[in-house]
Amino acid sequence: MIIDRNSPIPQYFQLQTWIIEHIEQGVFKPDEKIPTEEEFSQMTGLARATIRQAIQNCVNMGYLYRKRRLGTFVIKQNLNVNKKTIIGVMVPDIRTGYAPELARGIGDEAAANKHSIILCNTDDFYIKTNFHADNLIEHNVSGVIYVPTAASDEKNRMILEKFTRKNIPVVLADRVIPDANVDYATTDNFQGAYELTKYLVNKGHKRIAVILSTLFSTERQRFDGYKQALSDSNIPFDPSIVVADQGPFLENFYIKYVKKLLDDNNITAVFAGHDRIAYLVYTVARQSGLRIPEDISLVGYDDLPSSSSHPVRLTTMHQPIYEMGKQSMKLIMSRINGDVSEPQKVILKSYLVERFSVRTIHN
Amino acid sequence: MIIDRNSPIPQYFQLQTWIIEHIEQGVFKPDEKIPTEEEFSQMTGLARATIRQAIQNCVNMGYLYRKRRLGTFVIKQNLNVNKKTIIGVMVPDIRTGYAPELARGIGDEAAANKHSIILCNTDDFYIKTNFHADNLIEHNVSGVIYVPTAASDEKNRMILEKFTRKNIPVVLADRVIPDANVDYATTDNFQGAYELTKYLVNKGHKRIAVILSTLFSTERQRFDGYKQALSDSNIPFDPSIVVADQGPFLENFYIKYVKKLLDDNNITAVFAGHDRIAYLVYTVARQSGLRIPEDISLVGYDDLPSSSSHPVRLTTMHQPIYEMGKQSMKLIMSRINGDVSEPQKVILKSYLVERFSVRTIHN
DNA sequence: ATTGTTTAATTGTCTATACAATAATACAAA
DNA sequence: TTTGTATTATTGTATAGACAATTAAACAAT
């Protein structure tokens, strides 16, 4: 080892750099003893106080620890390894839809690995999302699980980039951002909606209304699955029994839509974009004196936990939301642990839960 | 200033302690210059190197900064002030009951103050709570909002003590720990249940069944309110139409309880300990061919957000859960900002939401 | 008025030395 | 075998002094 005595760089600094490099390159191995102050003194020709200064700085930075009479040693853990990590979780609203279930799946997997989660509500607004993103970065989160907002793909990509610039891995949950180069965990909404529609067709339904929002990638895919299933069943697509709203789910708007659907058409079944819409359909239908499934059949999508105890006994597509949470946590942990492979796509299987909201029609 | 040269405490350490104390007590003010090394040397009689060691440690700890030729100065910010804080939030299960609403209230208030929350699910188990408590402490949270578990008061106090030992302020939300010397935010469950029972009595009901768990302080208080209201109305308390379970809410058990209640007695109304029980009562009653409110009246407690869209149209006691979340966050922030006054008790007002699950009886 | 130079105060780096405290190890005593 | 004691390597604390680097401020030159 050569200390350059003519360099403007302080000699203690040269020495501490040399030590740190040797640790990081594995020359000094964890828990291994490094030379004593006296040895360093002989090696470098520096005074002991100078050597102490270098070593002390390494101790302060967490590279070394010292024991009287025994010497100076390299710290075992790689600094980051035993440091418990925090994962940011950004959902639209922890109160609504599947968010609680997702948060719980994420939380359980996190707890099992001694990690913690910071929870943020984006309300599907870019501004709030942006605020929380900055916040998470300031808190030095090790990774982020992100349910993309209803905002434009462009804006979602900006959020993504914020994290990637700081080398913080991100996993998308449920919703997807087109062409984004990140891991995600979702379900096959196209396939699910396809099966659900086919199920209605097989029960003899031909005039199947649909009501959903195209604001979210998931519901768009469900819409596509619905159309494909109709097409494959040689049932014409009728825009007059379709409500494809472009905004968020606002009850008052949807009540109007449902009323119009139920009044104006001789539909036999309604495909609701998600369970909450389905319950709304039920409530409105009831007020109009229509019974489910006697007068009109109804299917939802999600199978919210409350669905099992709800009096509607809704036939719906069960989404493994809890499992999705666990999987996204696993993805993010893999990235934190240094996995640099291609983006992973975890697509979970949904399955139909047949309850009592669909009637068989004999044509 | 006196350095005790006979003390076993190193002299550099005595000096750095003295400096830090002077900073924290405001003798050395932010951005103010402290004595030069030379001055310290004269004041203490210590060598410059010793003084440097003390000062350098203060610099490393973030108390001081130095400028060549200018001197050594106290750091502006009080370390904690501009550091965004993290608050631990421990709820039983983010998926169930009012937890999502509470978490959202807490989260919104936190976000408004640039704070973040770490969410933990205790499942009402002491072991999990203990695990998360340790975790939160390791993450250096600035405060904790805690919904006490269903475990014994003794164990809840042990959890509390963990935090107080580390000087981490705790605020209890919803549930209370007797004799614990901490802030809390809750509602008056006794008063609420009293009003609710009186409401039923005023509607002509005399045989009012009750079904709840005595595991939680909240439900115990509701039970007391119920009994007091009966007593004040000169209605005898009949244990045969009372289900006071001692365990957690397990659907299968409660279904049995409800069946027995509905079969065996000529009750006219059911007071359910919380909305989820009420929905269960509704479902079971329906299966037995009983209509609500025509055949039997039903009230719940909580007014869960889903209640408004639920087909039961449940009359229930609305709890300002969201507000409770905001208030607990405010309490914890006040403590973080150094409030050392007596424990604060925030008791929020519940109010009756009259829907269509109670029939008037004319005797 | 601007630019360059000097001065002096203060922190930054470094040497050389001394003794204290700690704790593994070997050895002696009970 | 256990307990106590001495040895010794190593880090911890402390002193005294020297020179380097930085920079505000004063002063000088243009």
Side-chain angles (χ1 to χ4, degrees), chain A residues 268-328:
Chain A
T268 63
V270 175
F271 180 150
H274 52 76
D275 285 359
R276 286 164 68 212
I277 299 180
Y279 292 133
L280 203 82
V281 171
Y282 170 79
T283 307
V284 174
R286 212 151 156 264
Q287 283 163 6
S288 312
L290 295 169
R291 291 161 305 163
I292 302 229
E294 291 80 357
D295 300 314
I296 201 146
S297 293
L298 177 63
V299 294
Y301 207 110
D302 276 350
D303 193 32
L304 294 182
S306 56
S307 293
S308 61
S309 66
H310 198 279
V312 185
R313 312 294 294 136
L314 185 68
T315 292
T316 187
M317 188 56 69
H318 177 86
Q319 293 218 80
I321 297 290
Y322 180 87
E323 186 61 24
M324 192 191 288
K326 290 195 92 163
Q327 289 295 331
S328 18

Side-chain angles (χ1 to χ4, degrees), chain B residues 5 10-12 47-50 68-69:
Chain B
R5 299 187 94 99
Q11 296 168 47
Y12 79 95
R48 210 184 125 216
T50 308
R68 264 190 180 157
R69 146 76 227 219

Side-chain angles (χ1 to χ4, degrees), chain A residues 78 82 97 104 121 177 192 208 221 233 251 307 341 357-358:
Chain A
N78 200 340
N82 102 322
R104 183 66 208 248
N121 298 290
I177 305 174
I208 305 168
Q221 288 161 8
S233 312
E251 282 211 353
S307 293
S341 61
S357 65
V358 174

Side-chain angles (χ1 to χ4, degrees), chain A residues 35-84:
Chain A
T36 65
E37 294 178 352
E38 184 53 36
E39 284 166 342
F40 268 125
S41 183
Q42 279 164 24
M43 287 158 74
T44 59
L46 298 174
R48 212 184 124 215
T50 308
I51 287 157
R52 280 186 66 72
Q53 193 176 1
I55 292 181
Q56 193 52 53
N57 283 343
C58 293
V59 170
N60 290 340
M61 286 188 283
Y63 286 99
L64 300 173
Y65 65 93
R66 326 191 70 183
K67 279 194 175 176
R68 263 189 181 160
R69 145 79 226 214
L70 296 181
T72 305
F73 304 83
V74 178
I75 274 195
K76 280 179 278 277
Q77 66 272 45
N78 200 340
L79 285 165
N80 254 0
V81 164
N82 102 322
K83 203 181 103 195
K84 293 177 177 178

